[in-house]
Amino acid sequence: MSKNNNSNILNVKIKAPTLEDVARVSGLSPITVSRALNNPQKVKKQTIEKVKNAVELTGYIPNMLAGGLVSKRSKLIAAAVPQINNTMFADTMQAISDQLSQRGYHMLLCLTSYSKKMEEEFVSAVLSRRPDGIVLTGINHSPSLKKKLLIANIPIIETWDFTPTPLDMLVGFSHEKIGEHIGDFLLNKGYKQFAMIWGDDERAALRLRGIMHSLSKRNINDISTHLIPMPATYESGRKGLQYLLSLNKKFDAIICSSDVLAQGAISEATKRKIIIPQELAIMGFGDLNFAKQNSPAISTVFIDKVYIGKLAADMLVDSIEGKTIANKIIDVGFKIIERETT
Amino acid sequence: MSKNNNSNILNVKIKAPTLEDVARVSGLSPITVSRALNNPQKVKKQTIEKVKNAVELTGYIPNMLAGGLVSKRSKLIAAAVPQINNTMFADTMQAISDQLSQRGYHMLLCLTSYSKKMEEEFVSAVLSRRPDGIVLTGINHSPSLKKKLLIANIPIIETWDFTPTPLDMLVGFSHEKIGEHIGDFLLNKGYKQFAMIWGDDERAALRLRGIMHSLSKRNINDISTHLIPMPATYESGRKGLQYLLSLNKKFDAIICSSDVLAQGAISEATKRKIIIPQELAIMGFGDLNFAKQNSPAISTVFIDKVYIGKLAADMLVDSIEGKTIANKIIDVGFKIIERETT
DNA sequence: TTGTAGGCGTTATCAG
DNA sequence: CTGATAACGCCTACAA
């Protein structure tokens, strides 16, 4: 019938070759073949050659479902992240995946759209694949997910946030501290009247709290905040500024919860001939690749997204492979980047 | 010892609950439990309730390794793509993943860094997980990979390129045709002296060929091309223009193999007070989200990246689930977007 | 609608 | 260094 249904001329199904076939061809037992493939150091050089030839001959492809079933090791890591079509998480995911594949693991991607419910559903579903480890974004997870995770009893690494009491391991940074530094930075530059264009995201909320804390120390408490739904877009940044200006209040600095929003706000300001930063300062977050290139270049906060990913992958695999982790909780910090918009 | 190694007080390993445990608790046979979980329509309503309770009680999590081993269905799709930390592929991958999870499948991500060798290694390794289907980027794959793929005998969908003879299914577009349209478009606008800043990528090379073909019809053959290594960056766009200008030839239009390169070139041109597009037109590719926002806004080629992803996922799952695919080869086309830089 | 028997392809374990 | 045996947890096929 169709070209390619693993049938021979008589239309009899041909089974994919198994370890046993390789064993037969090489004149060895299946278990020796298995060892030659997975623990070559436990086997004579000559034997390895025999096995290699037989594998070549038969076109054998191991079946990790069978292997994982008995060995309890899947060499699979599940990574849950809100989305990847924005550079914020994409860089980290790319780094995780690169590092994992270097260490012989594969990555299953769970995109959770900033929803706790989706995170829980996705991760519980993925648990049935028996991953050897899990990467989570953020530190807040539904209680039932936490319970399942603990029962699953596999290494977990939380990222992109900070707490002294993670589920297991953590590599991230403190959003609240970033907020305070943003506030202090702008206060020190002399700005006094603030407004926010802010994504409705829990980690962003923490940064806002940090900013508020910083400002309140100078008795600045009257702050207009325009909340926008996630994911943040250029468009919502633009509209955010429109809204804030329509309030007819006076601002000298607008803080945005992401560079994307800042970029939108800047372009709206430019269109209205508002001079940046003399008449209005604008600050972003993330140091996305366009921030430096934007005109005017966006002042923002740099996070080492790639380093987070590499570290997360390494800690996870180290933990899986029984190595002792020197430090299970790592704060990678951040850097305020001053450019032209402040 | 440690908090959480699935041991009780006596430090005796506690096994994860299995179908048999659920069966015992619910007073049913394992196979009935399996059916209640996977084919609820084949089982009495009352039975489903019993099973649900027992699952809750035992904390049962299915083991897809075991299930997949016997059923030959893994509900796993492997997707190979050069990289995801650029919006080009990230949008498509996001769409694939979203659609797959809606249809009950998970996505294993293979990042191949534009290297055929890595694609081959990654995909062959992933084949041992017995994925139900595979998404590939592009139509050129190493012969040995093709062979393995055919032997694996699972649905394959190639994307981001076009050929009437794909391995199995295809959803993409013709790069050569895009090239011709770019050439025609710029010729019709009156441009006559062209140069290229071009990524060293096979699909980009096809677009270049299309452009050349278009230009040669008007006897324009003297074209300076500056090749840059992948991945393309803003920086290489900038340097690309520097290089081209250093040639002391005259250009009235520069075509870039991606919007990122175009953005870099534009910013270099702006810095040098070259007036765009009067003195120099610049054209990109991809319609990445910043293209419209850039100042000046970038003329480019739109590809429906999300649609490609959704379609690829749907066709793959349809094929896996035995539905007949009306059209195994889909050209999603493209659109020349005229903005301020041409 | 539910149950019985058997095996999927591999590796752990123990023995040579 | 190599091998025999027994699981691993589930689903297909068939039967009741």
Side-chain angles (χ1 to χ4, degrees), chain A residues 35-52:
Chain A
R35 276 195 280 254
L37 261 22
N38 302 318
N39 300 75
Q41 77 286 2
K42 289 189 176 177
V43 142
K44 269 202 302 194
K45 245 190 170 175
Q46 201 185 348
T47 308
I48 295 180
E49 275 312 307
K50 279 191 210 167
V51 170
K52 263 191 189 162

Side-chain angles (χ1 to χ4, degrees), chain A residues 77-89:
Chain A
I77 303 294
V81 70
Q83 46 165 212
I84 52 161
N85 57 352
N86 92 35
T87 340
M88 219 70 207
F89 300 119

Side-chain angles (χ1 to χ4, degrees), chain B residues 98-254:
Chain B
D98 287 349
Q99 192 64 14
L100 283 180
S101 67
Q102 280 215 3
R103 300 197 60 174
Y105 287 72
H106 289 151
M107 184 178 83
L108 196 69
L109 200 55
C110 307
L111 301 178
T112 63
S113 311
Y114 291 95
S115 140
K116 292 253 176 305
K117 187 157 159 283
M118 283 193 67
E119 183 186 61
E120 146 121 43
E121 283 174 10
F122 221 138
V123 174
S124 353
V126 159
L127 246 25
S128 50
R129 296 190 187 275
R130 299 297 187 262
D132 289 339
I134 295 213
V135 182
L136 297 176
T137 304
I139 55 173
N140 289 314
H141 319 287
S142 74
S144 57
L145 177 58
K146 279 190 192 173
K147 196 179 141 197
K148 283 180 190 162
L149 248 20
L150 288 178
I151 292 176
N153 188 32
I154 51 178
I156 300 164
I157 191 152
E158 291 166 284
T159 64
W160 274 93
D161 203 338
F162 191 84
T163 169
T165 56
L167 286 171
D168 180 12
M169 299 182 288
L170 177 144
V171 47
F173 50 88
S174 161
H175 291 266
E176 213 159 338
K177 212 185 280 177
I178 288 178
E180 296 208 15
H181 279 244
I182 291 175
D184 293 350
F185 166 74
L186 291 174
L187 287 171
N188 287 340
K189 299 219 57 155
Y191 298 107
K192 297 199 170 68
Q193 292 154 305
F194 297 88
M196 315 280 166
I197 302 175
W198 220 251
D200 185 16
D201 162 57
E202 47 173 322
R203 282 174 291 280
L206 288 176
R207 297 198 294 278
L208 185 55
R209 184 190 292 182
I211 294 172
M212 295 304 203
H213 187 238
S214 162
L215 300 186
S216 69
K217 283 190 285 189
R218 305 255 189 119
N219 288 319
I220 301 178
N221 295 298
D222 175 27
I223 293 157
S224 303
T225 299
H226 181 61
L227 264 191
I228 61 104
M230 295 301 284
T233 65
Y234 176 85
E235 205 54 32
S236 37
R238 189 151 212 163
K239 294 217 171 117
L241 185 60
Q242 285 169 12
Y243 168 80
L244 288 174
L245 294 177
S246 77
L247 296 178
N248 284 319
K249 291 171 82 172
K250 227 186 132 0
F251 309 118
D252 54 12
I254 300 226

